[in-house]
Amino acid sequence: MSLALYRKYRPSIFADVIGQEHVTTPLSNALSSGSTHHAYLFSGPRGCGKTSSARIMARSLNCEKGPTPNPCGQCQSCKDLVANGPGSLDVIELDAATHGLVDDARDLRDKAFFAPVQSKYKIYIIDEAHQLGPGAANALLKVVEEPPPHVIFIFATTEPEKLISTIRSRTHHYPFRLVPPGILTTHLEKICASEGAVVAKGVLPLVVRASGGSVRDALSILGQLLAGAGPDGVSYEIALQLLGFTDGALLDDAIDAIAARDGATLFKTVDRVIESGHDPRRFTSDLLERLRDLMIVDALAETNANSILRDLPDDQLERMRNQSQHIGSANLSRAADIAAEGLTQMRGATAPRLILELICGRILLPGGDTSESGLLSRIERLERAENLAPMGNAQTSAKQSPTPNVGDFKESLPKSPSKAEEIAPKKVVAEETKKTPVKASAGMDVAGLRRVWPDVIEDVKKRRRLTWSLLSASAQVLGLDDSAITIGIVNAGARDSFIRSESDVILRQAFVDVVGIDRKIEVVVDASINPNTPQARE
Ligand SMILES: [Zn+2]
């Protein structure tokens, strides 16, 4: 594999750009109808096809048969501008990140008026355009304001709001987006097939998640995995070794563990953070940021949180919606306070790991906290019929499954009267919950299962809507051992419908499909899932 996958599979026509139809379709239409503009702005996160699309635009404009969305591929310009081709004298790429482009911009201003050498248009592709210095931007502005008819500008940037407005207002703006996981997975599957690569189940979802929706990142991760593959291809274990330690995966594991009140996994995750060489301060600040995002998701549960949390892929948003429901508003706010406070303590601290572990311990256990936010968290947990595990327990026991101690606490703590009726029935529910043993099974543990849970749910959705609706947002993975996968479901009613409808067969098959693990499915009632959210309510 001499050529990096991202370069090897770089598209040369708009039809091959994946996941950006909202941009490529109108651009193709403009090319077909000949209604092209003299300045374009392609914005969006890194690695989702802006620069590739700018080159395709140039190729489509300068084809002898163009402008056309289907460049002929035969003419000199098409051959020069094909992906990984030699390039054309009339398509000039400038990177504003290098040195603000002051000299280049003046040069450009002087040369732009000369006719193109051999094509219809002289096309300037200006990458990282937000980094244009003020001098360069002003020099360019003159040309962008009154361009010669043969000049076309394509600005590409991750931060369109930083591009000076006088230039921005003269462009047609096309926002690129992160690629949705389903589309990206299909794309990776095709590439694996054409590379003749064998990839174990569960690997591609890991790659897609680690990439955060960036095609370039996904292909570079996949390339690395394929390069290190053994004779049997890429195994899940190898992929996990490489990808289980990315910032995003560790953060998700930590939040999943907080949501499940799973102290063992949380402290194991901290261990992985340190072992893999991450800076505990950086991790804490990422954790704080994620808690903030979760608070936003929680507050906007009914509407689309993506209006505020831009650029989050749908699967990540869905995962965060789930996490915020499990953790609850008061707990989220308190956890954020603790993380923020810990972050301050970390400045100049000699043992940041220790502080990170203390933060985790305090987030898990509002029991010893007599502050107002601590009390609120305790009430919130009581309302969810959760027990408050003692400190030592959280660090050592394998899993804090909700146990029926509610009665002991119920009388002794304040509770909001409006919620009183809700507590009583749930006490019964909690008693049905049983301890779930957690044992790591080959290559996959509870954290691993939680990681792929959204993919499993997606798979279930394809198989049977009923099962999906019983699980989506109202269930979580509680345990995994050699004989069974244990799933917690929000209430007895949902659990009974799950069993009655033989949904366990569906779910079992989904696990086999997504991660290749075949286990009996056991369901228990898990009252820690927020019953106040509409999805969870029956
Ligand atoms: Zn052509």
Side-chain angles (χ1 to χ4, degrees), residues 4 6 24 41 45 114 197 201 235 258 273 279 288 345 347 393:
Y6 181 69
T24 53
L41 172 59
F114 296 119
K201 279 188 173 135
S235 69
I258 291 173
V273 168
D279 177 7
L288 182 58
Q345 290 170 355
R347 297 214 174 93
N393 200 13

Side-chain angles (χ1 to χ4, degrees), residues 5 70 112 316 422 489:
L5 289 181
N70 301 303
Q316 181 66 11
E422 289 183 36
I489 293 192

Side-chain angles (χ1 to χ4, degrees), residues 366-386:
D369 188 339
T370 52
S371 68
E372 194 186 341
S373 65
L375 280 174
L376 273 174
S377 289
R378 291 162 77 180
I379 294 167
E380 190 167 77
R381 285 197 186 185
L382 277 176
E383 285 174 353
R384 295 180 188 185
E386 276 276 353

Side-chain angles (χ1 to χ4, degrees), residues 185-203:
T185 308
T186 313
H187 187 56
L188 297 184
E189 278 166 358
K190 275 188 204 147
I191 288 176
C192 287
S194 86
E195 292 287 313
V198 183
V199 170
K201 279 188 173 135
V203 170

Side-chain angles (χ1 to χ4, degrees), residues 59 62-66 68 71-79:
R59 190 167 183 250
N62 269 352
C63 172
E64 270 175 17
K65 305 215 170 78
T68 165
C72 71
Q74 306 300 318
C75 69
Q76 192 56 44
S77 168
C78 277
K79 284 182 187 156

Side-chain angles (χ1 to χ4, degrees), residues 392-416:
N393 200 13
Q395 300 208 19
T396 52
S397 81
K399 161 79 190 144
Q400 287 77 51
S401 175
T403 44
N405 288 347
V406 190
D408 309 340
F409 290 85
K410 196 179 147 204
E411 303 305 322
S412 61
L413 266 165
K415 62 193 178 203
S416 65

Side-chain angles (χ1 to χ4, degrees), residues 276-432:
S276 55
H278 285 77
D279 177 7
R281 290 180 192 87
R282 166 82 199 284
F283 182 78
T284 309
S285 113
D286 289 351
L287 185 69
L288 182 58
E289 210 166 283
R290 173 63 67 84
L291 288 166
R292 186 269 326 258
D293 291 351
L294 286 171
M295 286 166 81
I296 292 173
V297 169
D298 185 58
L300 300 184
E302 297 302 315
T303 51
N304 189 358
N306 237 350
S307 56
I308 294 178
L309 303 173
R310 275 179 292 276
D311 299 340
L312 272 186
D314 284 350
D315 67 325
Q316 181 66 11
L317 196 65
E318 187 55 40
R319 172 183 296 265
M320 285 168 62
R321 209 168 278 146
N322 250 315
Q323 289 171 334
S324 73
Q325 279 163 20
H326 281 92
I327 300 175
S329 333
N331 271 326
L332 275 174
S333 145
R334 190 177 155 279
D337 285 348
I338 293 171
E341 197 180 309
L343 201 57
T344 319
Q345 290 170 355
M346 272 185 187
R347 297 214 174 93
T350 46
R353 174 189 181 142
L354 179 74
I355 296 175
L356 176 55
E357 283 169 338
L358 290 175
I359 291 171
C360 292
R362 289 183 58 208
I363 288 177
L364 277 179
L365 300 160
D369 188 339
T370 52
S371 68
E372 194 186 341
S373 65
L375 280 174
L376 273 174
S377 289
R378 291 162 77 180
I379 294 167
E380 190 167 77
R381 285 197 186 185
L382 277 176
E383 285 174 353
R384 295 180 188 185
E386 276 276 353
N387 75 309
L388 308 172
M391 182 72 179
N393 200 13
Q395 300 208 19
T396 52
S397 81
K399 161 79 190 144
Q400 287 77 51
S401 175
T403 44
N405 288 347
V406 190
D408 309 340
F409 290 85
K410 196 179 147 204
E411 303 305 322
S412 61
L413 266 165
K415 62 193 178 203
S416 65
S418 62
K419 300 282 173 103
E421 320 84 280
E422 289 183 36
I423 294 177
K426 242 174 286 145
K427 186 188 164 198
V428 182
V429 162
E431 276 164 5
E432 293 177 17

